[in-house]
Amino acid sequence: MQNSIHFILQGKGGIGKSFVAAMLAQYFDSKGADLKAFDTDQENDTFAQYLALKATSVPVMTESRTIDAKKFDALMETLLTEDGTFVIDNGANTFSPLLAYMVENSVINFLQESGKKVYIHTVVGGGDTLKDTANGFNSVAQGITDAPIVLWMNEHFGPMKTEEGKEFTETKVFKANQSRLHGVVLLQARNHQTYGDDIKKMNTKRLTVDEVMKSSDFALMEKQRIRNVAKDIFGQLEKFKF
């Protein structure tokens, strides 16, 4: 996993990108990686607020609140000249500009030619979010054709089924891009009154799982449920070769 770069991309906000970034970073950290985390979302820099992960905020927005694509150059400079395991979280507001920047500048090829392994992580949510996030997944897969994709399916918002009741994995969008997948991580639906509240509490406090285990603000069963979630996610990631 050394010298691997992991971009989290999805055009819809509030779908769990920062949670995915945080869990991915914690997984790599638990494996002894030289973790280097970045957050390009200036409006909602959730990932950068996880102090234990030491994520660097990358300012890409101008004073007039527009995206300056050239400001991605500084991030690229770091990715190209430093070693480590990189996790880059991107907000909904930076999705289209970053995607366009990566395509226009042949970013993936440049990084790969420099000895980096590049992976794209994207989130598809269930329920009412499925249509929009599936379109985002398709945009990523069709826009960036030279990097493997890790698909995170988030059942928190509802079942991974279309309005017609078809499983997402049976849809045309999934099947058209299935060959691009490096792996699939399922964020399974859990009891909202227990697991849901506990994860929300952890996320709101911007704490890592290790910090939760040491915190007096969490009861023993809250810690156990959070430990279960982390074990499940890490166990799925363990099956992939990064």
Side-chain angles (χ1 to χ4, degrees):
M1 69 185 70
Q2 179 72 355
N3 283 331
S4 64
I5 300 172
H6 303 262
F7 291 97
I8 293 88
L9 295 172
Q10 172 54 257
K12 184 174 177 58
I15 197 64
K17 289 190 300 295
S18 295
F19 175 72
V20 165
M23 295 306 295
L24 190 62
Q26 290 175 74
Y27 169 73
F28 289 137
D29 189 53
S30 74
K31 305 298 287 185
D34 180 13
L35 176 66
K36 297 181 179 180
F38 296 88
D39 190 343
T40 69
D41 190 343
Q42 287 171 250
E43 293 189 341
N44 299 291
D45 59 343
T46 303
F47 188 39
Q49 294 176 36
Y50 285 84
L51 300 182
L53 299 176
K54 300 178 181 179
T56 300
S57 182
V58 180
V60 295
M61 193 172 288
T62 66
E63 293 182 0
S64 59
R65 312 301 291 173
T66 59
I67 300 295
D68 181 356
K70 286 205 71 174
K71 291 194 174 184
F72 285 121
D73 286 354
L75 174 60
M76 285 298 300
E77 192 81 17
T78 299
L79 299 180
L80 287 163
T81 60
E82 295 185 12
D83 292 333
T85 301
F86 300 85
V87 176
I88 301 108
D89 188 22
N90 301 278
N93 61 337
T94 58
F95 171 72
S96 294
L98 179 57
L99 188 61
Y101 175 93
M102 294 175 77
V103 173
E104 180 184 13
N105 294 281
S106 301
V107 164
I108 304 300
N109 274 337
F110 192 14
L111 290 170
Q112 291 171 339
E113 288 171 357
S114 301
K116 311 291 184 177
K117 293 181 291 184
V118 184
Y119 300 90
I120 306 298
H121 298 253
T122 191
V123 187
V124 172
D128 294 340
T129 70
L130 182 60
K131 184 176 181 180
D132 287 344
T133 53
N135 286 337
F137 163 55
N138 189 61
S139 295
V140 169
Q142 297 300 313
I144 302 175
T145 59
D146 42 5
I149 296 172
V150 177
L151 173 63
W152 295 67
M153 299 199 305
N154 191 353
E155 293 183 336
H156 173 75
F157 302 94
M160 300 296 298
K161 294 183 179 181
T162 65
E163 293 179 354
E164 296 76 29
K166 181 182 290 186
E167 294 286 347
F168 173 63
T169 52
E170 295 299 320
T171 63
K172 291 181 180 179
V173 169
F174 179 86
K175 290 184 175 181
N177 300 299
Q178 188 173 7
S179 63
R180 298 287 317 288
L181 296 181
H182 184 67
V184 177
V185 178
L186 177 64
L187 301 176
Q188 63 176 289
R190 297 177 184 270
N191 188 323
H192 284 268
Q193 292 182 326
T194 52
Y195 281 92
D197 285 348
D198 298 340
I199 294 298
K200 181 179 180 180
K201 181 178 176 180
M202 177 177 69
N203 291 344
T204 300
K205 291 179 176 291
R206 308 294 191 246
L207 297 177
T208 64
V209 175
D210 283 347
E211 288 178 309
V212 167
M213 296 304 123
K214 299 172 185 176
S215 174
S216 60
D217 291 336
F218 289 78
L220 290 176
M221 288 310 300
E222 290 177 325
K223 293 179 179 181
Q224 172 64 7
R225 285 189 287 267
I226 289 172
R227 187 184 292 111
N228 286 344
V229 171
K231 183 178 179 180
D232 176 37
I233 294 173
F234 289 5
Q236 293 182 67
L237 291 172
E238 192 70 33
K239 298 176 183 178
F240 307 151
K241 183 178 181 181
F242 289 120

mmCIF file of all heavy atoms in Angstrom, residues 93-110:
data_model
loop_
_atom_site.group_PDB
_atom_site.id
_atom_site.type_symbol
_atom_site.label_atom_id
_atom_site.label_comp_id
_atom_site.label_asym_id
_atom_site.label_seq_id
_atom_site.Cartn_x
_atom_site.Cartn_y
_atom_site.Cartn_z
ATOM 1 N N ASN A 93 -18.618 20.220 -3.920
ATOM 2 C CA ASN A 93 -18.326 21.445 -4.674
ATOM 3 C C ASN A 93 -17.031 21.350 -5.479
ATOM 4 O O ASN A 93 -16.806 22.134 -6.403
ATOM 5 C CB ASN A 93 -18.275 22.658 -3.737
ATOM 6 C CG ASN A 93 -17.196 22.536 -2.672
ATOM 7 O OD1 ASN A 93 -16.771 21.431 -2.343
ATOM 8 N ND2 ASN A 93 -16.760 23.650 -2.121
ATOM 9 N N THR A 94 -16.177 20.414 -5.134
ATOM 10 C CA THR A 94 -14.917 20.255 -5.880
ATOM 11 C C THR A 94 -14.953 19.047 -6.817
ATOM 12 O O THR A 94 -13.979 18.792 -7.531
ATOM 13 C CB THR A 94 -13.720 20.099 -4.915
ATOM 14 O OG1 THR A 94 -13.935 18.971 -4.058
ATOM 15 C CG2 THR A 94 -13.527 21.350 -4.085
ATOM 16 N N PHE A 95 -16.062 18.333 -6.833
ATOM 17 C CA PHE A 95 -16.140 17.096 -7.612
ATOM 18 C C PHE A 95 -15.927 17.340 -9.112
ATOM 19 O O PHE A 95 -15.005 16.797 -9.712
ATOM 20 C CB PHE A 95 -17.496 16.417 -7.381
ATOM 21 C CG PHE A 95 -17.763 15.246 -8.295
ATOM 22 C CD1 PHE A 95 -17.084 14.051 -8.129
ATOM 23 C CD2 PHE A 95 -18.687 15.345 -9.324
ATOM 24 C CE1 PHE A 95 -17.320 12.967 -8.967
ATOM 25 C CE2 PHE A 95 -18.932 14.276 -10.176
ATOM 26 C CZ PHE A 95 -18.249 13.080 -9.988
ATOM 27 N N SER A 96 -16.769 18.164 -9.694
ATOM 28 C CA SER A 96 -16.680 18.402 -11.144
ATOM 29 C C SER A 96 -15.362 19.056 -11.551
ATOM 30 O O SER A 96 -14.732 18.619 -12.522
ATOM 31 C CB SER A 96 -17.867 19.244 -11.622
ATOM 32 O OG SER A 96 -19.079 18.524 -11.473
ATOM 33 N N PRO A 97 -14.910 20.113 -10.824
ATOM 34 C CA PRO A 97 -13.626 20.714 -11.199
ATOM 35 C C PRO A 97 -12.450 19.744 -11.089
ATOM 36 O O PRO A 97 -11.572 19.725 -11.951
ATOM 37 C CB PRO A 97 -13.479 21.881 -10.209
ATOM 38 C CG PRO A 97 -14.865 22.217 -9.803
ATOM 39 C CD PRO A 97 -15.581 20.902 -9.776
ATOM 40 N N LEU A 98 -12.431 18.932 -10.030
ATOM 41 C CA LEU A 98 -11.320 17.998 -9.868
ATOM 42 C C LEU A 98 -11.374 16.911 -10.932
ATOM 43 O O LEU A 98 -10.340 16.525 -11.492
ATOM 44 C CB LEU A 98 -11.339 17.367 -8.474
ATOM 45 C CG LEU A 98 -10.225 16.349 -8.202
ATOM 46 C CD1 LEU A 98 -8.841 16.971 -8.423
ATOM 47 C CD2 LEU A 98 -10.321 15.793 -6.783
ATOM 48 N N LEU A 99 -12.567 16.413 -11.223
ATOM 49 C CA LEU A 99 -12.715 15.380 -12.250
ATOM 50 C C LEU A 99 -12.226 15.916 -13.593
ATOM 51 O O LEU A 99 -11.479 15.236 -14.312
ATOM 52 C CB LEU A 99 -14.175 14.930 -12.344
ATOM 53 C CG LEU A 99 -14.472 13.718 -13.232
ATOM 54 C CD1 LEU A 99 -13.735 12.489 -12.729
ATOM 55 C CD2 LEU A 99 -15.983 13.449 -13.266
ATOM 56 N N ALA A 100 -12.632 17.140 -13.918
ATOM 57 C CA ALA A 100 -12.212 17.758 -15.178
ATOM 58 C C ALA A 100 -10.697 17.967 -15.201
ATOM 59 O O ALA A 100 -10.043 17.738 -16.227
ATOM 60 C CB ALA A 100 -12.939 19.092 -15.370
ATOM 61 N N TYR A 101 -10.144 18.404 -14.087
ATOM 62 C CA TYR A 101 -8.697 18.622 -13.965
ATOM 63 C C TYR A 101 -7.944 17.318 -14.188
ATOM 64 O O TYR A 101 -6.934 17.276 -14.900
ATOM 65 C CB TYR A 101 -8.402 19.191 -12.579
ATOM 66 C CG TYR A 101 -6.933 19.356 -12.242
ATOM 67 C CD1 TYR A 101 -6.273 20.557 -12.481
ATOM 68 C CD2 TYR A 101 -6.215 18.317 -11.653
ATOM 69 C CE1 TYR A 101 -4.923 20.713 -12.159
ATOM 70 C CE2 TYR A 101 -4.872 18.466 -11.328
ATOM 71 C CZ TYR A 101 -4.230 19.662 -11.582
ATOM 72 O OH TYR A 101 -2.908 19.807 -11.260
ATOM 73 N N MET A 102 -8.430 16.242 -13.582
ATOM 74 C CA MET A 102 -7.747 14.949 -13.683
ATOM 75 C C MET A 102 -7.768 14.436 -15.110
ATOM 76 O O MET A 102 -6.777 13.880 -15.604
ATOM 77 C CB MET A 102 -8.401 13.943 -12.732
ATOM 78 C CG MET A 102 -8.215 14.292 -11.259
ATOM 79 S SD MET A 102 -9.108 13.193 -10.125
ATOM 80 C CE MET A 102 -8.045 11.753 -10.151
ATOM 81 N N VAL A 103 -8.887 14.631 -15.801
ATOM 82 C CA VAL A 103 -8.996 14.170 -17.187
ATOM 83 C C VAL A 103 -8.148 15.035 -18.107
ATOM 84 O O VAL A 103 -7.367 14.523 -18.926
ATOM 85 C CB VAL A 103 -10.472 14.186 -17.641
ATOM 86 C CG1 VAL A 103 -10.573 13.885 -19.124
ATOM 87 C CG2 VAL A 103 -11.285 13.174 -16.836
ATOM 88 N N GLU A 104 -8.272 16.352 -17.985
ATOM 89 C CA GLU A 104 -7.570 17.279 -18.869
ATOM 90 C C GLU A 104 -6.060 17.136 -18.777
ATOM 91 O O GLU A 104 -5.344 17.243 -19.779
ATOM 92 C CB GLU A 104 -7.975 18.714 -18.532
ATOM 93 C CG GLU A 104 -7.294 19.775 -19.394
ATOM 94 C CD GLU A 104 -7.652 21.185 -18.969
ATOM 95 O OE1 GLU A 104 -8.226 21.359 -17.873
ATOM 96 O OE2 GLU A 104 -7.331 22.115 -19.736
ATOM 97 N N ASN A 105 -5.572 16.877 -17.569
ATOM 98 C CA ASN A 105 -4.130 16.833 -17.343
ATOM 99 C C ASN A 105 -3.559 15.415 -17.286
ATOM 100 O O ASN A 105 -2.388 15.231 -16.914
ATOM 101 C CB ASN A 105 -3.795 17.569 -16.047
ATOM 102 C CG ASN A 105 -4.088 19.053 -16.129
ATOM 103 O OD1 ASN A 105 -3.321 19.819 -16.693
ATOM 104 N ND2 ASN A 105 -5.222 19.459 -15.561
ATOM 105 N N SER A 106 -4.356 14.424 -17.646
ATOM 106 C CA SER A 106 -3.906 13.023 -17.625
ATOM 107 C C SER A 106 -3.239 12.690 -16.296
ATOM 108 O O SER A 106 -2.153 12.095 -16.237
ATOM 109 C CB SER A 106 -2.929 12.759 -18.782
ATOM 110 O OG SER A 106 -3.535 13.033 -20.024
ATOM 111 N N VAL A 107 -3.914 13.085 -15.218
ATOM 112 C CA VAL A 107 -3.346 12.960 -13.877
ATOM 113 C C VAL A 107 -3.020 11.518 -13.515
ATOM 114 O O VAL A 107 -1.951 11.227 -12.964
ATOM 115 C CB VAL A 107 -4.308 13.586 -12.839
ATOM 116 C CG1 VAL A 107 -3.952 13.137 -11.418
ATOM 117 C CG2 VAL A 107 -4.257 15.104 -12.937
ATOM 118 N N ILE A 108 -3.942 10.610 -13.805
ATOM 119 C CA ILE A 108 -3.733 9.217 -13.398
ATOM 120 C C ILE A 108 -2.484 8.641 -14.063
ATOM 121 O O ILE A 108 -1.632 8.031 -13.403
ATOM 122 C CB ILE A 108 -4.970 8.353 -13.730
ATOM 123 C CG1 ILE A 108 -6.230 8.930 -13.077
ATOM 124 C CG2 ILE A 108 -4.735 6.920 -13.269
ATOM 125 C CD1 ILE A 108 -6.167 9.009 -11.579
ATOM 126 N N ASN A 109 -2.352 8.846 -15.369
ATOM 127 C CA ASN A 109 -1.177 8.349 -16.077
ATOM 128 C C ASN A 109 0.108 8.957 -15.533
ATOM 129 O O ASN A 109 1.124 8.256 -15.370
ATOM 130 C CB ASN A 109 -1.286 8.663 -17.574
ATOM 131 C CG ASN A 109 -2.058 7.598 -18.327
ATOM 132 O OD1 ASN A 109 -2.149 6.457 -17.890
ATOM 133 N ND2 ASN A 109 -2.631 7.973 -19.456
ATOM 134 N N PHE A 110 0.075 10.247 -15.257
ATOM 135 C CA PHE A 110 1.252 10.946 -14.744
ATOM 136 C C PHE A 110 1.672 10.345 -13.412
ATOM 137 O O PHE A 110 2.850 10.069 -13.166
ATOM 138 C CB PHE A 110 0.934 12.434 -14.603
ATOM 139 C CG PHE A 110 2.135 13.306 -14.368
ATOM 140 C CD1 PHE A 110 3.437 12.833 -14.565
ATOM 141 C CD2 PHE A 110 1.976 14.618 -13.952
ATOM 142 C CE1 PHE A 110 4.541 13.647 -14.356
ATOM 143 C CE2 PHE A 110 3.081 15.439 -13.735
ATOM 144 C CZ PHE A 110 4.362 14.959 -13.936
#
